[in-house]
């Protein structure tokens, strides 16, 4: 079940010049399914990434960080490899060895240095990576490389996702058109920093050295770090932006007139992908936007948005379509703003003004709240009455099916 999430159409996913994908069936967890993805980049491409803050981060995350830090010393990043069905997390030194072996094997097939390869894994934690299956299937993935395999690539990285997640945009700049296409996976164990998810976006833009790194962090904070499903920060979360430099658009600095155009396009696509994860949240029946305004700082707005969107009591009330909205006020109160003046707080549920000056709006009728709560997409707007900062997060409800899906996950 998804919440207003149409299936991506293959013809809508635009090829990115200088970027190819190859898919294979390695039989990592189940036979006869796409579970191995190889991505390659043209020489001169740039790659930047943001990763989980979980201290128990998976071996491939550690290797990715190391290889990105070495980018340029042993040649730029030229390939990525993703396996599903096994997270290679909680696997100790053996897991690190397997992640490095994966890089070495793909590098050999592509005539690269191992440090030019980034590995990614997703699936069950605390189980050994079946390295032999992966290495054996890599040549098939390489032989399958092509620019138009975005839909198959999105399928190849799925775990508990009910459908592939992918999107494209072509944006016009003063220097010519830019193509941006991305895929992601995730439906459970979703919580900011990062919000299990993997996300990959490719573009044909060219960036000056170092510019893509800061841009990727900014885009992540306003998209994949602004979603939550169940409050569990995964061991494997990774978000990667790749720029092949194959278009006529070459950006030298943030003052470049086209920088803002490209940034907005990347952010728009990243938000669309991130919201796809929430719309496909395990057992989700409602998609909720938590908009916090009137904060002194963006950080305190983020604290409130996070508290509300993470609260199991709030999420279960939304599943039941029960306007038990005092749960939201309680979450605002414990969010961590020590000097919050609750008498200045206002709250709206959709178009209904529910809380006024810290208490129930005298004109509020529960029937109005009930009407909004029955909708599949709901916006909660909270005004802290303290300043001009804002923050928006996206979440879903918590249903009986969420428990069932996670109880059966390993079977």
């Amino acid at each position: 079940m998804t919440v207003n999430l149409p299936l991506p159409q293959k013809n809508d996913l635009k090829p990115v010049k200088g970027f190819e994908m190859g898919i294979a069936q390695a039989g990592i967890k189940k036979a006869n399914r796409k579970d191995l993805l190889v991505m390659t980049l043209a020489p001169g491409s740039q790659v930047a990434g943001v990763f989980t803050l979980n201290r128990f981060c998976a071996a491939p995350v550690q290797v990715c960080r190391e290889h990105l830090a070495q980018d340029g010393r042993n040649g730029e990043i030229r390939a990525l490899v993703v396996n599903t069905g096994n997270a290679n997390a909680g696997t100790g030194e053996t897991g690190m060895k397997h992640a490095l072996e994966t890089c070495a094997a793909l590098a050999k097939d592509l005539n690269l240095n191992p440090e030019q390869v980034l590995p990614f894994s997703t699936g069950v934690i605390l189980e050994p990576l079946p390295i032999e299956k992966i290495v054996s299937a890599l040549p098939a993935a390489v032989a399958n490389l092509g620019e138009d395999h975005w839909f198959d690539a999105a399928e190849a990285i799925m775990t508990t996702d009910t459908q592939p997640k992918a999107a494209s945009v072509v944006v016009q700049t003063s220097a010519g058109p830019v193509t941006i296409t991305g895929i992601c996976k995730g439906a459970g164990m979703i919580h900011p920093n990062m919000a299990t998810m993997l996300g990959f976006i490719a573009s044909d833009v060219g960036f000056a050295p170092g510019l893509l790194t800061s841009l990727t962090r900014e885009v992540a904070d306003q998209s994949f770090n602004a979603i939550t499903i169940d409050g569990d920060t995964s061991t494997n979360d990774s978000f990667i932006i790749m720029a092949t430099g194959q278009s006529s658009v070459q950006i030298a600095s943030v003052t470049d007139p086209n920088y803002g155009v490209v940034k907005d396009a990347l952010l728009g696509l990243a938000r669309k992908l991130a919201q796809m994860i929430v719309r496909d949240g395990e057992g989700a029946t409602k998609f909720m936007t938590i908009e916090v305004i009137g904060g002194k700082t963006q950080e305190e707005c983020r604290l409130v948005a996070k508290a509300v969107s993470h609260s199991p009591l709030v999420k279960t009330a939304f599943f039941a379509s029960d306007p038990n909205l005092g749960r939201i006020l309680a979450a605002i109160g414990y969010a961590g703003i020590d000097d919050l003046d609750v008498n200045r707080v206002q709250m709206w549920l959709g178009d209904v003004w529910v809380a006024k000056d810290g208490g129930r709006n005298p004109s509020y009728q529960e029937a109005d709240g009930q009407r909004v709560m029955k909708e599949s997409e709901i916006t909660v707007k909270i005004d802290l009455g303290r300043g001009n900062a804002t923050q928006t997060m996206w979440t879903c409800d918590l249903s009986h099916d969420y428990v069932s899906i996670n109880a059966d996950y390993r079977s």
Side-chain angles (χ1 to χ4, degrees), residues 99-123:
L100 292 169
E101 285 180 13
T102 302
C103 294
L106 182 57
K108 183 178 179 180
D109 290 339
L110 295 173
N111 195 27
L112 302 172
N113 295 321
E115 294 82 7
Q116 293 180 279
V117 178
L118 300 181
F120 303 85
S121 297
T122 182

Side-chain angles (χ1 to χ4, degrees), residues 16 60 73 107 116 126 162 227 236 251 268 270 290 310 312 356 397:
V16 174
R73 301 176 199 169
Q116 293 180 279
L126 209 65
T162 66
I227 61 175
N236 292 63
I251 297 177
I290 312 300
H310 174 41
K356 181 178 181 181
D397 57 343

Side-chain angles (χ1 to χ4, degrees), residues 43-59:
S45 299
Q46 293 189 50
V47 180
V50 177
F51 302 93
T52 181
L53 295 183
N54 191 315
R55 289 294 298 159
F56 229 116
C57 65

Side-chain angles (χ1 to χ4, degrees), residues 162-173:
T162 66
Q163 66 179 61
K165 302 173 176 70
S168 278
V169 63
V170 177
V171 60
Q172 296 295 327
T173 76

Side-chain angles (χ1 to χ4, degrees), residues 81-224:
V81 55
V82 188
N83 75 266
T84 188
N86 185 297
N88 195 12
T91 48
E93 289 300 319
T94 300
M96 284 292 292
K97 178 175 177 289
H98 286 165
L100 292 169
E101 285 180 13
T102 302
C103 294
L106 182 57
K108 183 178 179 180
D109 290 339
L110 295 173
N111 195 27
L112 302 172
N113 295 321
E115 294 82 7
Q116 293 180 279
V117 178
L118 300 181
F120 303 85
S121 297
T122 182
V124 179
I125 298 170
L126 209 65
E127 292 187 3
L129 187 72
I131 185 65
E132 297 83 4
K133 292 182 178 181
I134 292 173
V135 171
S136 296
L138 282 173
V142 172
N144 181 243
L145 285 167
E147 287 187 341
D148 58 349
H149 293 169
W150 281 104
F151 187 88
D152 290 337
E155 285 187 320
I157 64 174
M158 292 167 54
T159 50
T160 59
D161 309 63
T162 66
Q163 66 179 61
K165 302 173 176 70
S168 278
V169 63
V170 177
V171 60
Q172 296 295 327
T173 76
S174 62
V178 166
T179 301
I180 306 172
T181 303
I183 59 175
C184 67
K185 61 81 52 181
M189 198 178 273
I190 304 295
H191 194 56
N193 292 323
M194 289 275 300
T196 283
M197 69 141 272
L198 299 176
F200 304 97
I201 293 178
S203 169
D204 53 10
V205 181
F207 288 98
L211 196 57
L212 186 61
T213 300
S214 58
L215 178 58
T216 299
R217 165 55 68 183
E218 189 173 353
V219 169
D221 282 343
Q222 298 181 53
S223 57
F224 290 100

Side-chain angles (χ1 to χ4, degrees), residues 46-51 62-73 77 115 117-118 120 239-240:
Q46 293 189 50
V47 180
V50 177
F51 302 93
Q62 298 175 58
V63 173
C64 279
R65 286 173 174 156
E66 292 174 3
H67 287 189
L68 282 171
Q70 297 175 28
D71 190 6
R73 301 176 199 169
I77 301 299
E115 294 82 7
V117 178
L118 300 181
F120 303 85
F239 171 54
I240 304 293

